[in-house]
Protein backbone atom coordinates (compact mmCIF):
# COMPACT_ATOMS: atom_id res chain seq x y z
CA UNK A 1 0.00 0.00 0.00
CA UNK A 2 2.67 2.49 1.07
CA UNK A 3 4.53 2.31 -2.19
CA UNK A 4 1.38 3.37 -4.01
CA UNK A 5 1.43 6.67 -2.13
CA UNK A 6 3.91 9.26 -3.34
CA UNK A 7 6.45 10.70 -0.92
CA UNK A 8 4.71 14.08 -1.23
CA UNK A 9 1.27 12.65 -0.34
CA UNK A 10 2.76 10.78 2.58
CA UNK A 11 4.32 13.98 3.86
CA UNK A 12 0.96 15.75 3.60
CA UNK A 13 -0.78 12.98 5.56
CA UNK A 14 1.88 13.25 8.26
CA UNK A 15 1.65 17.02 8.20
CA UNK A 16 5.04 18.14 6.87
CA UNK A 17 7.20 18.45 3.81
CA UNK A 18 9.24 15.47 2.60
CA UNK A 19 12.37 17.21 3.82
CA UNK A 20 10.91 17.73 7.27
CA UNK A 21 9.93 14.08 7.32
CA UNK A 22 13.38 12.81 6.49
CA UNK A 23 15.02 15.20 8.96
CA UNK A 24 12.81 14.10 11.80
CA UNK A 25 13.34 10.45 10.82
CA UNK A 26 17.10 11.02 10.98
CA UNK A 27 16.78 12.65 14.38
CA UNK A 28 14.69 9.73 15.65
CA UNK A 29 17.20 7.22 14.31
CA UNK A 30 20.01 9.14 15.96
CA UNK A 31 18.40 8.83 19.35
CA UNK A 32 18.40 5.05 18.91
CA UNK A 33 21.76 4.56 17.25
CA UNK A 34 23.93 7.38 18.63
CA UNK A 35 24.95 10.70 17.21
CA UNK A 36 24.00 11.30 13.55
CA UNK A 37 27.61 12.07 12.80
CA UNK A 38 28.91 8.71 14.08
CA UNK A 39 30.13 6.75 11.05
CA UNK A 40 27.77 4.04 9.79
CA UNK A 41 30.59 1.49 9.86
CA UNK A 42 31.52 1.93 13.54
CA UNK A 43 29.79 -1.31 14.54
CA UNK A 44 31.11 -3.26 11.55
CA UNK A 45 34.79 -3.22 12.39
CA UNK A 46 37.24 -6.08 11.80
CA UNK A 47 39.90 -7.00 14.37
CA UNK A 48 43.08 -4.95 14.38
CA UNK A 49 45.72 -6.41 12.10
CA UNK A 50 43.13 -8.17 9.91
CA UNK A 51 44.92 -9.08 6.67
CA UNK A 52 43.17 -7.59 3.65
CA UNK A 53 44.43 -9.10 0.44
CA UNK A 54 43.79 -10.12 -3.09
CA UNK A 55 44.42 -13.42 -4.88
CA UNK A 56 45.66 -14.53 -8.31
CA UNK A 57 47.07 -17.69 -9.87
CA UNK A 58 50.06 -18.25 -12.15
CA UNK A 59 48.39 -19.48 -15.36
CA UNK A 60 45.58 -16.95 -15.01
CA UNK A 61 47.78 -13.84 -14.94
CA UNK A 62 51.44 -14.43 -15.80
CA UNK A 63 51.63 -15.01 -19.55
CA UNK A 64 55.31 -15.41 -20.61
CA UNK A 65 54.70 -19.12 -21.10
CA UNK A 66 57.99 -19.71 -22.89
CA UNK A 67 60.24 -17.47 -20.83
CA UNK A 68 63.10 -18.47 -18.54
CA UNK A 69 62.81 -22.15 -19.45
CA UNK A 70 59.20 -22.75 -18.36
CA UNK A 71 57.90 -26.16 -19.45
CA UNK A 72 54.36 -26.84 -20.69
CA UNK A 73 51.53 -27.50 -18.24
CA UNK A 74 48.21 -29.28 -18.73
CA UNK A 75 46.54 -25.89 -19.03
CA UNK A 76 48.73 -24.94 -22.01
CA UNK A 77 47.73 -28.17 -23.69
CA UNK A 78 44.06 -27.91 -22.81
CA UNK A 79 43.64 -24.24 -23.76
CA UNK A 80 45.37 -24.91 -27.08
CA UNK A 81 43.00 -27.79 -27.87
CA UNK A 82 40.16 -26.66 -30.13
CA UNK A 83 36.80 -26.25 -28.42
CA UNK A 84 37.99 -26.46 -24.82
CA UNK A 85 37.88 -22.80 -23.78
CA UNK A 86 35.55 -19.95 -24.63
CA UNK A 87 36.60 -18.50 -27.96
CA UNK A 88 39.76 -20.64 -27.94
CA UNK A 89 41.26 -18.26 -25.35
CA UNK A 90 44.59 -19.23 -23.74
CA UNK A 91 46.80 -17.92 -20.94
CA UNK A 92 49.71 -17.28 -23.34
CA UNK A 93 49.69 -13.55 -22.57
CA UNK A 94 46.76 -12.82 -20.24
CA UNK A 95 47.70 -9.89 -17.95
CA UNK A 96 51.38 -10.35 -18.78
CA UNK A 97 51.94 -10.06 -15.02
CA UNK A 98 55.38 -11.60 -15.59
CA UNK A 99 56.44 -8.28 -17.14
CA UNK A 100 53.98 -5.86 -15.51
CA UNK A 101 54.24 -7.02 -11.91
CA UNK A 102 55.86 -3.77 -10.76
CA UNK A 103 53.01 -1.68 -12.09
CA UNK A 104 50.49 -4.09 -10.59
CA UNK A 105 52.18 -3.93 -7.21
CA UNK A 106 51.75 -0.15 -7.45
CA UNK A 107 48.02 -0.81 -7.86
CA UNK A 108 48.09 -3.02 -4.78
CA UNK A 109 49.82 -0.27 -2.82
CA UNK A 110 47.29 2.25 -3.99
CA UNK A 111 44.52 -0.06 -2.68
CA UNK A 112 46.26 -0.44 0.66
CA UNK A 113 46.54 -4.24 0.36
CA UNK A 114 48.28 -5.86 3.31
CA UNK A 115 48.88 -9.17 1.56
CA UNK A 116 48.89 -10.74 -1.89
CA UNK A 117 48.18 -14.37 -2.75
CA UNK A 118 49.85 -15.74 -5.88
CA UNK A 119 50.79 -19.19 -7.10
CA UNK A 120 54.02 -20.64 -8.44
CA UNK A 121 53.99 -22.35 -11.83
CA UNK A 122 55.44 -25.79 -11.06
CA UNK A 123 56.69 -26.10 -14.65
CA UNK A 124 58.82 -22.95 -14.31
CA UNK A 125 60.68 -24.60 -11.43
CA UNK A 126 60.76 -28.18 -12.76
CA UNK A 127 60.00 -27.92 -16.49
CA UNK A 128 59.25 -31.62 -16.72
CA UNK A 129 57.77 -31.96 -13.26
CA UNK A 130 60.69 -33.81 -11.65
CA UNK A 131 64.46 -34.12 -12.04
CA UNK A 132 66.81 -31.19 -12.13
CA UNK A 133 65.37 -27.80 -11.17
CA UNK A 134 65.54 -25.05 -13.76
CA UNK A 135 68.22 -22.62 -12.50
CA UNK A 136 66.05 -19.64 -13.61
CA UNK A 137 62.74 -21.16 -12.46
CA UNK A 138 62.36 -19.00 -9.38
CA UNK A 139 63.98 -15.79 -10.66
CA UNK A 140 60.68 -14.15 -11.51
CA UNK A 141 59.16 -15.05 -8.14
CA UNK A 142 62.18 -13.67 -6.29
CA UNK A 143 61.87 -10.38 -8.19
CA UNK A 144 58.15 -10.18 -7.60
CA UNK A 145 58.34 -11.10 -3.89
CA UNK A 146 61.12 -8.54 -3.35
CA UNK A 147 58.89 -5.88 -4.89
CA UNK A 148 55.99 -6.93 -2.65
CA UNK A 149 58.14 -6.77 0.46
CA UNK A 150 59.46 -3.38 -0.54
CA UNK A 151 55.85 -2.21 -0.84
CA UNK A 152 55.09 -3.57 2.64
CA UNK A 153 52.80 -6.31 1.25
CA UNK A 154 53.04 -9.81 2.69
CA UNK A 155 53.42 -12.59 0.11
CA UNK A 156 51.05 -15.58 0.50
CA UNK A 157 52.22 -18.39 -1.73
CA UNK A 158 50.18 -21.23 -3.27
CA UNK A 159 52.29 -24.09 -4.60
CA UNK A 160 49.72 -25.71 -6.88
CA UNK A 161 46.93 -23.84 -8.64
CA UNK A 162 46.08 -26.50 -11.22
CA UNK A 163 48.94 -26.10 -13.74
CA UNK A 164 50.40 -29.61 -13.56
CA UNK A 165 53.53 -30.08 -15.72
CA UNK A 166 52.40 -31.86 -18.90
CA UNK A 167 55.08 -34.59 -18.72
CA UNK A 168 53.56 -35.73 -15.40
CA UNK A 169 50.11 -35.93 -16.97
CA UNK A 170 51.67 -38.02 -19.75
CA UNK A 171 52.55 -40.54 -17.02
CA UNK A 172 49.00 -40.59 -15.58
CA UNK A 173 48.86 -37.26 -13.73
CA UNK A 174 47.19 -37.51 -10.32
CA UNK A 175 46.11 -41.08 -11.12
CA UNK A 176 49.74 -42.03 -10.62
CA UNK A 177 50.95 -41.96 -7.01
CA UNK A 178 54.37 -40.83 -8.25
CA UNK A 179 52.75 -37.45 -8.96
CA UNK A 180 52.00 -37.08 -5.24
CA UNK A 181 55.69 -37.70 -4.51
CA UNK A 182 56.83 -35.38 -7.28
CA UNK A 183 54.57 -32.67 -5.88
CA UNK A 184 56.11 -33.04 -2.42
CA UNK A 185 59.63 -32.79 -3.92
CA UNK A 186 58.75 -29.65 -5.85
CA UNK A 187 56.87 -28.09 -2.88
CA UNK A 188 59.69 -28.78 -0.41
CA UNK A 189 62.35 -27.47 -2.79
CA UNK A 190 60.40 -24.31 -3.67
CA UNK A 191 59.32 -23.45 -0.12
CA UNK A 192 62.89 -24.04 1.02
CA UNK A 193 64.20 -21.55 -1.55
CA UNK A 194 61.56 -18.91 -0.77
CA UNK A 195 61.16 -19.26 2.97
CA UNK A 196 63.58 -16.48 3.85
CA UNK A 197 61.04 -14.11 2.25
CA UNK A 198 57.69 -15.90 2.48
CA UNK A 199 56.14 -16.94 5.79
CA UNK A 200 52.91 -18.57 4.69
CA UNK A 201 52.48 -21.32 2.12
CA UNK A 202 49.45 -23.17 0.82
CA UNK A 203 49.94 -26.56 -0.73
CA UNK A 204 47.05 -26.68 -3.19
CA UNK A 205 44.15 -24.65 -4.48
CA UNK A 206 40.65 -26.18 -4.59
CA UNK A 207 41.24 -29.91 -4.72
CA UNK A 208 37.57 -30.52 -5.46
CA UNK A 209 37.58 -28.33 -8.55
CA UNK A 210 40.64 -29.74 -10.26
CA UNK A 211 39.65 -33.30 -9.40
CA UNK A 212 36.00 -33.11 -10.38
CA UNK A 213 36.15 -30.72 -13.34
CA UNK A 214 39.53 -31.91 -14.60
CA UNK A 215 39.17 -35.66 -14.20
CA UNK A 216 35.43 -36.22 -13.69
CA UNK A 217 33.48 -33.87 -15.95
CA UNK A 218 36.34 -33.10 -18.30
CA UNK A 219 35.52 -29.39 -18.55
CA UNK A 220 38.92 -28.35 -17.13
CA UNK A 221 42.43 -29.61 -17.90
CA UNK A 222 43.34 -32.37 -18.53
CA UNK A 223 39.77 -32.93 -19.78
CA UNK A 224 39.27 -36.54 -18.63
CA UNK A 225 36.09 -38.33 -17.63
CA UNK A 226 37.16 -41.09 -15.27
CA UNK A 227 34.73 -43.54 -13.72
CA UNK A 228 33.91 -43.41 -10.01
CA UNK A 229 36.51 -45.98 -8.95
CA UNK A 230 39.40 -44.30 -10.75
CA UNK A 231 38.25 -40.89 -9.57
CA UNK A 232 38.08 -41.99 -5.92
CA UNK A 233 41.63 -43.38 -6.10
CA UNK A 234 42.85 -40.22 -7.81
CA UNK A 235 41.21 -38.10 -5.09
CA UNK A 236 43.08 -40.13 -2.49
CA UNK A 237 46.37 -39.54 -4.35
CA UNK A 238 45.65 -35.80 -4.31
CA UNK A 239 45.11 -35.59 -0.54
CA UNK A 240 48.17 -37.79 -0.09
CA UNK A 241 50.15 -35.35 -2.28
CA UNK A 242 48.98 -32.54 -0.01
CA UNK A 243 50.10 -34.40 3.13
CA UNK A 244 53.49 -35.34 1.66
CA UNK A 245 53.98 -31.72 0.64
CA UNK A 246 53.20 -30.47 4.16
CA UNK A 247 55.91 -32.80 5.49
CA UNK A 248 58.41 -31.82 2.80
CA UNK A 249 57.85 -28.09 3.40
CA UNK A 250 58.31 -28.54 7.17
CA UNK A 251 61.49 -30.53 6.57
CA UNK A 252 63.01 -27.92 4.27
CA UNK A 253 62.07 -24.70 6.05
CA UNK A 254 62.92 -23.25 9.45
CA UNK A 255 60.41 -23.19 12.34
CA UNK A 256 57.98 -20.29 12.11
CA UNK A 257 56.77 -21.03 8.60
CA UNK A 258 53.00 -21.53 8.46
CA UNK A 259 51.43 -24.10 6.17
CA UNK A 260 47.83 -24.35 5.04
CA UNK A 261 45.67 -25.11 2.03
CA UNK A 262 43.18 -23.10 -0.04
CA UNK A 263 40.19 -25.39 -0.08
CA UNK A 264 36.77 -24.88 -1.60
CA UNK A 265 34.70 -26.74 0.94
CA UNK A 266 31.10 -27.21 0.05
CA UNK A 267 29.94 -24.25 2.16
CA UNK A 268 26.92 -25.64 3.96
CA UNK A 269 24.39 -23.13 5.27
CA UNK A 270 21.36 -23.98 7.42
CA UNK A 271 18.09 -23.13 5.59
CA UNK A 272 17.26 -21.06 8.63
CA UNK A 273 18.92 -20.55 11.98
CA UNK A 274 17.29 -23.02 14.36
CA UNK A 275 19.25 -25.48 16.50
CA UNK A 276 18.12 -28.45 14.41
CA UNK A 277 18.90 -26.84 11.05
CA UNK A 278 22.32 -25.70 12.29
CA UNK A 279 23.09 -29.24 13.46
CA UNK A 280 22.09 -30.57 10.03
CA UNK A 281 24.44 -28.08 8.33
CA UNK A 282 27.28 -29.12 10.65
CA UNK A 283 26.79 -32.80 9.78
CA UNK A 284 26.67 -31.91 6.10
CA UNK A 285 29.89 -29.89 6.35
CA UNK A 286 31.69 -32.96 7.63
CA UNK A 287 30.10 -35.52 5.33
CA UNK A 288 30.00 -33.57 2.06
CA UNK A 289 33.69 -32.74 2.42
CA UNK A 290 34.65 -36.25 3.57
CA UNK A 291 37.27 -36.85 0.88
CA UNK A 292 38.84 -33.38 1.14
CA UNK A 293 38.92 -31.20 4.27
CA UNK A 294 37.43 -33.84 6.58
CA UNK A 295 40.09 -36.45 5.82
CA UNK A 296 42.80 -33.77 6.14
CA UNK A 297 41.49 -32.90 9.60
CA UNK A 298 40.59 -36.37 10.89
CA UNK A 299 42.98 -38.74 9.12
CA UNK A 300 40.16 -41.10 8.20
CA UNK A 301 37.40 -41.35 5.65
CA UNK A 302 33.92 -41.20 7.16
CA UNK A 303 31.99 -44.47 7.31
CA UNK A 304 29.26 -43.07 5.09
CA UNK A 305 31.77 -42.02 2.42
CA UNK A 306 33.32 -45.48 2.27
CA UNK A 307 29.91 -47.19 2.34
CA UNK A 308 28.61 -45.03 -0.45
CA UNK A 309 31.59 -45.90 -2.65
CA UNK A 310 31.42 -49.62 -1.80
CA UNK A 311 33.73 -51.46 -4.19
CA UNK A 312 34.86 -48.18 -5.70
CA UNK A 313 36.45 -47.03 -2.42
CA UNK A 314 40.14 -46.13 -2.71
CA UNK A 315 42.99 -48.33 -1.48
CA UNK A 316 45.00 -46.75 1.31
CA UNK A 317 47.36 -47.64 4.13
CA UNK A 318 47.28 -46.42 7.76
CA UNK A 319 50.61 -44.66 7.13
CA UNK A 320 49.11 -42.72 4.22
CA UNK A 321 46.17 -41.65 6.37
CA UNK A 322 48.59 -40.25 8.98
CA UNK A 323 50.45 -38.36 6.30
CA UNK A 324 47.23 -36.90 4.89
CA UNK A 325 46.35 -35.51 8.32
CA UNK A 326 49.74 -33.79 8.86
CA UNK A 327 48.91 -30.83 11.12
CA UNK A 328 48.22 -27.50 9.41
CA UNK A 329 48.74 -24.02 10.82
CA UNK A 330 45.74 -22.55 9.06
CA UNK A 331 42.86 -23.45 6.80
CA UNK A 332 42.18 -21.29 3.78
CA UNK A 333 38.65 -21.28 2.41
CA UNK A 334 37.60 -20.27 -1.09
CA UNK A 335 33.93 -19.36 -0.79
CA UNK A 336 31.70 -18.02 -3.51
CA UNK A 337 28.28 -19.57 -3.00
CA UNK A 338 26.17 -21.38 -0.39
CA UNK A 339 24.85 -24.94 -0.29
CA UNK A 340 21.60 -24.87 1.67
CA UNK A 341 20.99 -27.73 4.06
CA UNK A 342 17.85 -28.88 5.85
CA UNK A 343 17.13 -31.52 8.46
CA UNK A 344 16.16 -34.96 7.19
CA UNK A 345 15.14 -38.28 8.73
CA UNK A 346 17.67 -40.25 6.68
CA UNK A 347 20.67 -41.90 8.35
CA UNK A 348 22.96 -39.01 7.39
CA UNK A 349 20.52 -36.62 9.08
CA UNK A 350 20.47 -33.83 6.50
CA UNK A 351 19.54 -33.12 2.90
CA UNK A 352 20.95 -30.70 0.32
CA UNK A 353 18.23 -28.34 -0.89
CA UNK A 354 18.43 -27.76 -4.65
CA UNK A 355 18.04 -24.13 -5.75
CA UNK A 356 14.73 -23.16 -7.32
CA UNK A 357 15.15 -21.87 -10.86
CA UNK A 358 14.34 -18.35 -9.61
CA UNK A 359 17.35 -18.35 -7.24
CA UNK A 360 19.46 -15.22 -7.95
CA UNK A 361 23.00 -15.52 -9.26
CA UNK A 362 25.77 -13.27 -10.52
CA UNK A 363 27.08 -13.18 -14.12
CA UNK A 364 28.58 -16.66 -13.73
CA UNK A 365 25.54 -18.88 -13.16
CA UNK A 366 27.45 -20.95 -10.58
CA UNK A 367 27.80 -17.93 -8.29
CA UNK A 368 24.43 -18.12 -6.57
CA UNK A 369 24.18 -15.32 -4.03
CA UNK A 370 24.40 -16.38 -0.38
CA UNK A 371 26.45 -14.03 1.77
CA UNK A 372 25.76 -16.16 4.89
CA UNK A 373 28.17 -18.74 3.46
CA UNK A 374 30.95 -16.46 4.68
CA UNK A 375 29.61 -16.72 8.21
CA UNK A 376 28.55 -20.36 8.36
CA UNK A 377 31.53 -22.10 6.75
CA UNK A 378 34.10 -20.54 9.13
CA UNK A 379 31.79 -21.13 12.09
CA UNK A 380 31.02 -24.77 11.34
CA UNK A 381 34.66 -25.55 10.57
CA UNK A 382 35.76 -23.97 13.83
CA UNK A 383 33.15 -25.96 15.74
CA UNK A 384 33.99 -29.24 14.02
CA UNK A 385 37.77 -29.12 14.06
CA UNK A 386 38.75 -26.34 16.45
CA UNK A 387 40.59 -24.51 13.68
CA UNK A 388 43.27 -22.22 15.09
CA UNK A 389 43.37 -19.82 12.17
CA UNK A 390 41.26 -19.42 9.06
CA UNK A 391 41.62 -17.23 6.01
CA UNK A 392 39.13 -16.57 3.27
CA UNK A 393 41.60 -17.30 0.50
CA UNK A 394 39.11 -16.42 -2.27
CA UNK A 395 35.80 -14.62 -2.58
CA UNK A 396 34.53 -12.37 -5.35
CA UNK A 397 32.42 -12.40 -8.46
CA UNK A 398 32.26 -11.93 -12.19
CA UNK A 399 30.30 -8.97 -13.55
CA UNK A 400 29.38 -7.79 -17.06
CA UNK A 401 31.85 -4.93 -16.69
CA UNK A 402 31.94 -2.24 -19.35
CA UNK A 403 33.80 0.99 -19.66
CA UNK A 404 31.27 3.83 -19.28
CA UNK A 405 31.51 6.93 -21.53
CA UNK A 406 33.65 8.56 -18.82
CA UNK A 407 36.06 5.58 -19.05
CA UNK A 408 35.11 4.30 -15.59
CA UNK A 409 33.63 0.91 -14.66
CA UNK A 410 30.61 1.14 -12.35
CA UNK A 411 30.34 -2.46 -11.15
CA UNK A 412 27.62 -1.84 -8.59
CA UNK A 413 26.63 -5.53 -8.63
CA UNK A 414 30.15 -6.54 -7.53
CA UNK A 415 30.08 -3.90 -4.78
CA UNK A 416 26.67 -5.19 -3.64
CA UNK A 417 28.03 -8.74 -3.61
CA UNK A 418 31.20 -7.87 -1.68
CA UNK A 419 29.45 -5.63 0.84
CA UNK A 420 26.95 -8.34 1.74
CA UNK A 421 29.51 -11.14 1.96
CA UNK A 422 31.84 -8.98 4.05
CA UNK A 423 28.97 -8.11 6.39
CA UNK A 424 28.55 -11.81 7.12
CA UNK A 425 32.29 -12.26 7.54
CA UNK A 426 32.29 -9.41 10.03
CA UNK A 427 29.53 -11.21 11.92
CA UNK A 428 31.86 -14.22 12.18
CA UNK A 429 34.89 -12.29 13.46
CA UNK A 430 32.72 -10.30 15.88
CA UNK A 431 31.70 -13.66 17.41
CA UNK A 432 35.35 -14.62 17.85
CA UNK A 433 35.65 -17.07 14.94
CA UNK A 434 39.38 -16.96 14.14
CA UNK A 435 39.31 -15.61 10.57
CA UNK A 436 42.58 -13.70 10.19
CA UNK A 437 42.34 -12.38 6.67
CA UNK A 438 40.39 -12.09 3.42
CA UNK A 439 41.63 -12.36 -0.19
CA UNK A 440 39.42 -10.84 -2.83
CA UNK A 441 39.35 -12.73 -6.13
CA UNK A 442 40.75 -10.97 -8.02
CA UNK A 443 43.05 -7.98 -8.38
CA UNK A 444 42.85 -8.01 -12.19
CA UNK A 445 40.52 -9.37 -14.84
CA UNK A 446 42.27 -12.52 -16.02
CA UNK A 447 42.08 -15.85 -17.86
CA UNK A 448 39.08 -17.52 -16.22
CA UNK A 449 39.86 -21.14 -17.18
CA UNK A 450 37.28 -22.64 -19.55
CA UNK A 451 35.43 -19.29 -19.62
CA UNK A 452 38.51 -17.64 -21.13
CA UNK A 453 38.36 -13.84 -21.03
CA UNK A 454 34.58 -13.76 -21.19
CA UNK A 455 34.07 -13.61 -17.43
CA UNK A 456 35.80 -10.70 -15.69
CA UNK A 457 36.51 -11.14 -11.97
CA UNK A 458 38.89 -8.24 -11.34
CA UNK A 459 38.38 -5.12 -9.28
CA UNK A 460 40.70 -3.68 -11.92
CA UNK A 461 39.55 -3.67 -15.53
CA UNK A 462 42.13 -4.92 -18.00
CA UNK A 463 42.19 -4.04 -21.68
CA UNK A 464 43.82 -7.22 -22.98
CA UNK A 465 44.99 -5.52 -26.18
CA UNK A 466 46.84 -2.62 -24.59
CA UNK A 467 47.35 -4.05 -21.05
CA UNK A 468 45.85 -0.83 -19.68
CA UNK A 469 44.51 -1.18 -16.13
CA UNK A 470 41.47 0.78 -14.90
CA UNK A 471 40.43 0.36 -11.26
CA UNK A 472 36.68 -0.23 -11.05
CA UNK A 473 34.18 1.18 -8.56
CA UNK A 474 34.72 -2.02 -6.54
CA UNK A 475 38.40 -1.10 -6.16
CA UNK A 476 37.41 2.24 -4.61
CA UNK A 477 35.00 0.35 -2.34
CA UNK A 478 37.65 -2.16 -1.28
CA UNK A 479 40.17 0.59 -0.63
CA UNK A 480 37.67 2.25 1.71
CA UNK A 481 36.99 -1.05 3.51
CA UNK A 482 40.72 -1.60 4.03
CA UNK A 483 41.31 1.95 5.21
CA UNK A 484 38.43 1.82 7.71
CA UNK A 485 39.01 -1.85 8.57
CA UNK A 486 35.22 -2.12 8.39
CA UNK A 487 32.39 -2.88 6.01
CA UNK A 488 31.22 0.38 4.48
C1 LIG B 1 38.04 -20.38 -8.20
C2 LIG B 1 39.48 -20.59 -8.67
C3 LIG B 1 40.10 -19.33 -9.20
C4 LIG B 1 39.13 -18.51 -10.03
C5 LIG B 1 37.84 -18.30 -9.29
C6 LIG B 1 36.84 -17.45 -10.03
O1 LIG B 1 37.38 -21.60 -8.22
O2 LIG B 1 40.26 -21.05 -7.62
O3 LIG B 1 41.25 -19.69 -9.91
O4 LIG B 1 38.93 -19.11 -11.25
O5 LIG B 1 37.27 -19.54 -8.98
Amino acid sequence: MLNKISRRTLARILGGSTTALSLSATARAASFFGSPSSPAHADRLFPQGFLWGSATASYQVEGAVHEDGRGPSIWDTFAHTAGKTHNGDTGDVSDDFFHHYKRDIELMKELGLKTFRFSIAWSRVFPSGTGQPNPHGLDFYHRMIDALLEAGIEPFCTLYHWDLPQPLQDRGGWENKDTAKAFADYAGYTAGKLSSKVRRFMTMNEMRTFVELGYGLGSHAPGLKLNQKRLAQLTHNVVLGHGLAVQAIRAQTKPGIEIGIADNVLATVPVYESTAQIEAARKAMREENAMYLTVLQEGRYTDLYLERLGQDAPNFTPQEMKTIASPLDFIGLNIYQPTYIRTDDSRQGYAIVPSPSSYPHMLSPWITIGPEALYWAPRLITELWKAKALYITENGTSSADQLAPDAQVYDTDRVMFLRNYLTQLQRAVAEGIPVKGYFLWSLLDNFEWADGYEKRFGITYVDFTTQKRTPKLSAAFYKEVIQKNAVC
Side-chain angles (χ1 to χ4, degrees), residues 174-218:
W174 290 104
E175 268 206 279
N176 184 341
K177 256 187 203 168
D178 289 348
T179 295
K181 295 197 194 84
F183 176 58
D185 290 345
Y186 146 72
Y189 170 85
T190 304
K193 294 279 178 210
L194 297 180
S195 62
S196 58
K197 299 174 181 176
V198 179
R199 212 177 120 218
R200 295 189 175 105
F201 291 92
M202 284 146 287
T203 54
M204 295 179 177
N205 180 72
E206 298 197 358
M207 299 176 287
R208 186 189 290 269
T209 311
F210 77 82
V211 166
E212 296 179 9
L213 300 192
Y215 294 87
L217 292 174

Side-chain angles (χ1 to χ4, degrees), residues 192-449:
K193 294 279 178 210
L194 297 180
S195 62
S196 58
K197 299 174 181 176
V198 179
R199 212 177 120 218
R200 295 189 175 105
F201 291 92
M202 284 146 287
T203 54
M204 295 179 177
N205 180 72
E206 298 197 358
M207 299 176 287
R208 186 189 290 269
T209 311
F210 77 82
V211 166
E212 296 179 9
L213 300 192
Y215 294 87
L217 292 174
S219 55
H220 275 193
L224 299 178
K225 295 182 183 168
L226 304 183
N227 64 27
Q228 176 167 269
K229 187 171 177 53
R230 288 173 67 182
L231 199 61
Q233 189 63 52
L234 178 145
T235 309
H236 175 75
N237 296 349
V238 166
V239 288
L240 178 61
H242 154 83
L244 289 169
V246 173
Q247 297 185 345
I249 299 168
R250 289 243 192 269
Q252 296 189 51
T253 55
K254 291 199 207 83
I257 295 296
E258 294 187 4
I259 309 174
I261 186 164
D263 186 39
N264 60 326
V265 282
L266 211 77
T268 61
V269 172
V271 277
Y272 54 85
E273 299 186 0
S274 73
T275 310
Q277 302 295 356
I278 294 170
E279 181 53 24
R282 192 180 300 114
K283 283 186 188 150
M285 173 62 79
R286 181 168 177 269
E287 208 55 64
E288 294 299 318
N289 297 297
M291 58 301 222
Y292 300 112
L293 191 59
T294 305
V295 71
L296 261 54
Q297 294 300 303
E298 301 184 7
R300 62 184 292 271
Y301 290 117
T302 65
D303 298 340
L304 268 175
Y305 174 67
L306 292 177
E307 271 171 43
R308 238 182 249 135
L309 284 175
Q311 297 206 325
D312 292 342
N315 297 318
F316 53 86
T317 65
Q319 185 53 40
E320 287 177 353
M321 300 314 279
K322 265 182 88 174
T323 301
I324 291 168
S326 299
L328 293 177
D329 302 299
F330 65 89
I331 299 172
L333 301 171
N334 293 4
I335 296 179
Y336 290 86
Q337 97 278 26
T339 298
Y340 287 110
I341 302 294
R342 64 170 173 79
T343 54
D344 191 58
D345 289 339
S346 59
R347 178 164 158 232
Q348 65 179 20
Y350 67 86
I352 293 182
V353 186
S355 293
S357 59
S358 56
Y359 198 93
H361 62 78
M362 303 302 287
L363 182 65
S364 303
W366 60 273
I367 308 186
T368 50
I369 304 168
E372 328 83 85
L374 228 46
Y375 169 76
W376 280 105
R379 174 170 156 180
L380 296 176
I381 286 167
T382 305
E383 289 172 355
L384 278 168
W385 297 301
K386 317 228 170 334
K388 283 181 280 184
L390 299 167
Y391 290 88
I392 303 302
T393 34
E394 282 183 29
N395 171 248
T397 184
S398 53
S399 163
D401 300 317
Q402 284 203 323
L403 288 170
D406 64 357
Q408 301 297 309
V409 179
Y410 297 102
D411 53 343
T412 50
D413 56 345
R414 183 176 285 109
V415 174
M416 174 281 293
F417 180 95
L418 295 172
R419 180 189 294 119
N420 283 285
Y421 275 71
L422 287 175
T423 300
Q424 290 290 323
L425 184 63
Q426 196 276 338
R427 180 183 168 204
V429 294
E431 288 181 16
I433 295 161
V435 182
K436 309 289 185 197
Y438 169 91
F439 294 81
L440 202 164
W441 186 276
S442 186
L443 178 71
L444 306 169
D445 294 335
N446 58 52
F447 174 77
E448 178 49 25
W449 309 113

